[in-house]
């Protein structure tokens, strides 16, 4: 197959591993920086062009694409992916599913609609609602999240009601969208990353925050180890990925006193942490899944998502 990996950085571990495994399995692979793509939007001959250099432009054609679109380029990256979809190119994750997962509020609403357990979350725009926002999630301590946060950067713990009010007012002051969320203290700074491919959890790890930190992101010094999931956690992870319409997803779960709760569904989950912690060849599993699934045609035509 001709596979295009849509990634801005060919040196990233995940990009390199996917390329390596695809080549190993006999595929032709290109890494494509979405910001160097441009397109013509017509019904007859929709194309994606790639600016190879100042003078050189080529038209791209792939049998399958693997989107690894960074959060900072979601809008344009998804526009390029959509153009591949217009051409009926297979993509393991569809653009609409990626867009959904990138907006935390939208993702929470979609998951709630399908009855998936999540921490109690509230959201509002009016300054006067600060008190109700805080009370809805059971008061302080509570978590505040910028809706476009990644790597835990926009996730803050407000230990007191006063701190919560100050942070809410500050977020409003700068016009940022945010969520107010129940703090799951009993998770003890740990979360579980379930790696879902094609409706199955193929690997899982527990991430534990560094001392004095409540965010377990590996980018923030969290430590990873293998974990055995309960059947309930496994089902929850698969259901969350399915609801979002993602064939490839990293579903993050917190173990709370009232059962497992989904905090995030990531459409470009990193491979380094999970492969290192579990020893599972996640990249190869993804490529093998694409080989099989793409035989049935583009995701879009299968009505997924
Ligand atoms: P990001 O997408 O920026 O990584 P997450 O929502 O995944 O944001 O949160 C980052 C980390 O913060 C999680 O991995 C988890 O350890 C911690 N965390 C997030 N939400 C909660 C919560 N409601 N209660 C306790 N810890 C949380």
């Amino acid at each position: 197959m001709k596979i295009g990996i849509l990634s801005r950085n060919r040196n990233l571990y995940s990009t390199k591993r996917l390329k390596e495994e695809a080549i190993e399995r006999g595929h032709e692979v290109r890494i494509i920086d979405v910001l160097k793509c441009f397109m013509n939007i017509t019904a007859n001959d929709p194309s994606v062009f790639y600016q190879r250099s100042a003078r050189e432009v080529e038209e791209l054609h792939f049998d399958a694409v693997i989107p690894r679109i960074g959060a900072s380029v979601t809008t344009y990256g998804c526009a390029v992916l959509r153009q591949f979809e217009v051409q009926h190119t297979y993509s393991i994750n569809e653009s609409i599913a990626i867009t959904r997962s990138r907006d935390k509020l939208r993702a929470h609403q979609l998951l709630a609609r399908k009855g998936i357990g999540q921490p109690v979350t509230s959201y509002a725009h009016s300054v006067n609602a600060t008190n109700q926002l805080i009370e809805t999630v059971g008061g302080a301590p509570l978590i505040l999240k910028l809706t476009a946060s990644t790597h835990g950067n926009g996730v803050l713990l407000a230990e007191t009601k006063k701190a919560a009010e100050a942070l809410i007012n500050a977020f409003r002051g700068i016009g940022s969208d945010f969520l107010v969320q129940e703090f799951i203290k009993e998770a003890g700074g740990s979360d579980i990353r379930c790696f879902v491919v094609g409706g199955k959890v193929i690997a899982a790890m527990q991430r534990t925050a560094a001392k004095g930190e409540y965010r377990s992101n590996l980018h923030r010094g969290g430590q990873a180890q293998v974990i055995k999931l309960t059947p309930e956690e496994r089902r929850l992870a698969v259901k969350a990925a399915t609801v979002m319409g993602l064939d490839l997803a990293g579903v993050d779960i917190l173990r709370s006193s009232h059962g497992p709760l989904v905090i995030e569904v990531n459409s470009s989950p990193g491979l380094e942490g999970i492969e290192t912690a579990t020893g599972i060849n996640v990249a190869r599993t993804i490529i093998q899944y694409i080989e099989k699934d793409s035989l049935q045609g583009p995701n879009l035509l299968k009505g997924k998502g």
Side-chain angles (χ1 to χ4, degrees), residues 71 102-105 145-151 154 177-178 264:
R102 287 287 157 84
D103 178 338
K104 284 184 197 280
L105 174 62
K145 289 184 190 180
L146 291 173
T147 46
S149 159
T150 58
H151 303 328
D177 282 348
F178 62 93
E264 173 152 55

Side-chain angles (χ1 to χ4, degrees), residues 50 55 72 77 101 127 138 155 157 162 179 186 209 216 244 259 300:
Y50 191 59
R55 288 163 169 269
S72 59
S101 71
V127 178
V155 178
L157 171 64
K162 262 204 145 37
L179 305 172
E186 61 273 25
S216 53
M244 300 302 293
L300 203 65

Side-chain angles (χ1 to χ4, degrees), residues 100-176:
R100 278 177 193 148
S101 71
R102 287 287 157 84
D103 178 338
K104 284 184 197 280
L105 174 62
R106 187 175 177 191
H108 278 297
Q109 287 174 319
L110 282 165
L111 296 174
R113 207 168 73 183
K114 297 290 178 187
I116 290 178
Q118 305 166 71
V120 178
T121 304
S122 66
Y123 174 89
H125 203 74
S126 156
V127 178
N128 305 331
T130 303
N131 249 330
Q132 282 98 314
L133 278 178
I134 295 175
E135 276 161 27
T136 313
V137 302
L142 56 78
I143 291 276
L144 284 147
K145 289 184 190 180
L146 291 173
T147 46
S149 159
T150 58
H151 303 328
N153 287 331
V155 178
L156 300 166
L157 171 64
E159 309 231 24
T160 62
K161 187 168 180 221
K162 262 204 145 37
E165 283 169 355
L167 284 170
I168 289 173
N169 289 334
F171 278 175
R172 284 207 175 109
I174 54 170
S176 292

